[in-house]
Amino acid sequence: MHAHQLDYLQQLEAESIHIFREVAAQFERPALLFSGGKDSITLVQLAKKAFAPGKIPFPLVHIDTGHNFPEALAYRDWLANEVGATLIVRKVEDTIKQRNLTEPKGKFASRNWLQTYTLLDTIEEFKLDACIGGARRDEEKARAKERIFSVRDDFGQWDPKLQRPELWNIYNGRIHKGENVRVFPISNWTELDVWNYIKTEEISLPSIYFSHNREVIEHEGQLIAVSPFITIDENDTVLTKRVRYRTVGDMTCTAAVESTAATLDEVVNEIKATRISERGETRIDDKVTEAAMEDRKKNGYF
């Protein structure tokens, strides 16, 4: 990696570490929202550096939809143990039963919309005043509207028109009782920055980020993994393709990309060559409406 690239990553790293330390200083009960994906894995690495030689001073929280890739769940458990962090897992399935919610139906029955209920219940259960997430501004246009400290009201809702100025890296975490803040330490990073950082720091990842053979069906130009969570019709043809994943969401709504990239260098080269955003290429649930993500965020989603 060239020296100027390294300097750039060091600047991003320093900003993120500063944000983590601000969270620890300003909030009483923060938590890191952890999915087992590359962005939240990068957050864990940054948190380790921010608080070394001590341990990460807040728990990792996973909102488990029950439709996860097994590789991501195995990695989640391994990493929490590896860094000595407390892991809190709350399941959407339990929320569905407790609140008597309607289980989504259809070919790709995603529980993504229902995660919000579980997240808000978890925030209430543990009285969390800050939730740290791995959203990046290049990921999806609604996320580009977020501040780094993004305040949610006492109903967990977000108003993109009511956001605080963030001048000179000064972050205002003052909130009223019942409110909480979503914090995005890698908000100024791109997908390529994350991959370059993972490469520089030699961070291990779940195997699905690299090329592997997987049974898939093709749907509207996207490759969806065969799993117990989707409906395979008689018109569907199950194919075995050489694929990898750019993002790790639910198996019901995350598409694979055909790829032979089996190393970090090869993945970085692929990302450099692509002109389609990560979520634009691989997330079915963002295609429901033009403002799908923003609507979810206003109601309390990540």
Side-chain angles (χ1 to χ4, degrees), residues 195-215:
W195 279 106
N196 277 326
Y197 188 72
I198 288 167
K199 178 183 168 185
T200 301
E201 295 288 306
E202 299 180 341
I203 301 170
S204 64
L205 293 174
S207 58
I208 60 173
Y209 278 114
F210 302 99
S211 181
H212 60 284
N213 287 325
R214 187 178 288 270
E215 285 192 335

Side-chain angles (χ1 to χ4, degrees), residues 123-149:
I123 289 171
E124 177 63 28
E125 179 185 355
F126 293 97
K127 307 301 180 191
L128 301 177
D129 51 4
C131 293
I132 304 160
R136 307 183 321 269
R137 290 184 183 175
D138 72 322
E139 194 179 356
E140 202 278 339
K141 57 190 175 184
R143 286 182 166 163
K145 297 180 180 181
E146 293 271 21
R147 295 290 192 265
I148 289 173
F149 275 31

Side-chain angles (χ1 to χ4, degrees), residues 104-115:
K105 301 290 191 297
K107 187 174 183 65
F108 304 110
S110 171
R111 289 174 171 171
N112 262 8
W113 285 85
L114 300 180
Q115 287 183 86

Side-chain angles (χ1 to χ4, degrees), residues 214-218 223 226 237-241:
R214 187 178 288 270
E215 285 192 335
V216 297
I217 61 171
E218 188 169 344
L223 300 175
V226 171
T237 302
V238 175
L239 309 166
T240 299
K241 295 272 192 179

Side-chain angles (χ1 to χ4, degrees), residues 12-26:
L12 288 175
E13 179 189 69
E15 178 189 50
S16 298
I17 286 174
H18 169 67
I19 293 165
F20 268 110
R21 290 173 178 166
E22 282 292 306
V23 171
Q26 294 194 42

Side-chain angles (χ1 to χ4, degrees), residues 145-158:
K145 297 180 180 181
E146 293 271 21
R147 295 290 192 265
I148 289 173
F149 275 31
S150 184
V151 178
R152 301 301 202 268
D153 67 19
D154 50 1
F155 295 103
Q157 295 178 326
W158 171 66

Side-chain angles (χ1 to χ4, degrees), residues 18-209:
H18 169 67
I19 293 165
F20 268 110
R21 290 173 178 166
E22 282 292 306
V23 171
Q26 294 194 42
F27 298 98
E28 294 182 8
R29 292 176 176 267
L32 193 158
L33 301 177
F34 187 77
S35 66
K38 66 183 184 309
D39 297 322
S40 57
I41 292 168
T42 297
L43 289 181
V44 171
Q45 176 72 6
L46 292 163
K48 281 171 56 181
K49 287 196 168 190
F51 304 109
K55 290 187 176 180
I56 299 173
F58 37 73
L60 309 183
V61 171
H62 182 216
I63 305 302
D64 183 354
T65 63
H67 294 166
N68 299 282
F69 288 89
E71 298 95 328
L73 292 181
Y75 184 96
R76 175 200 70 186
D77 296 341
W78 170 82
L79 184 63
N81 182 66
E82 180 75 8
V83 301
T86 300
L87 175 64
I88 296 169
V89 179
R90 289 296 179 266
K91 299 184 176 181
V92 172
E93 193 164 347
D94 293 337
T95 306
I96 292 172
K97 293 174 183 174
Q98 290 162 6
R99 288 175 169 260
N100 197 26
L101 300 174
T102 302
E103 181 83 36
K105 301 290 191 297
K107 187 174 183 65
F108 304 110
S110 171
R111 289 174 171 171
N112 262 8
W113 285 85
L114 300 180
Q115 287 183 86
T116 300
Y117 294 102
T118 311
L119 175 61
L120 296 179
D121 287 349
T122 305
I123 289 171
E124 177 63 28
E125 179 185 355
F126 293 97
K127 307 301 180 191
L128 301 177
D129 51 4
C131 293
I132 304 160
R136 307 183 321 269
R137 290 184 183 175
D138 72 322
E139 194 179 356
E140 202 278 339
K141 57 190 175 184
R143 286 182 166 163
K145 297 180 180 181
E146 293 271 21
R147 295 290 192 265
I148 289 173
F149 275 31
S150 184
V151 178
R152 301 301 202 268
D153 67 19
D154 50 1
F155 295 103
Q157 295 178 326
W158 171 66
D159 186 344
K161 296 178 181 177
L162 293 177
Q163 299 205 64
R164 299 170 177 178
E166 292 179 338
L167 306 174
W168 306 292
N169 291 336
I170 296 173
Y171 305 109
N172 179 2
R174 286 180 295 179
I175 53 175
H176 298 293
K177 184 176 176 59
E179 294 177 337
N180 68 86
V181 174
R182 305 291 165 80
V183 181
F184 304 110
I186 60 171
S187 188
N188 289 328
W189 298 45
T190 66
E191 182 186 10
L192 184 58
D193 293 332
V194 169
W195 279 106
N196 277 326
Y197 188 72
I198 288 167
K199 178 183 168 185
T200 301
E201 295 288 306
E202 299 180 341
I203 301 170
S204 64
L205 293 174
S207 58
I208 60 173
Y209 278 114

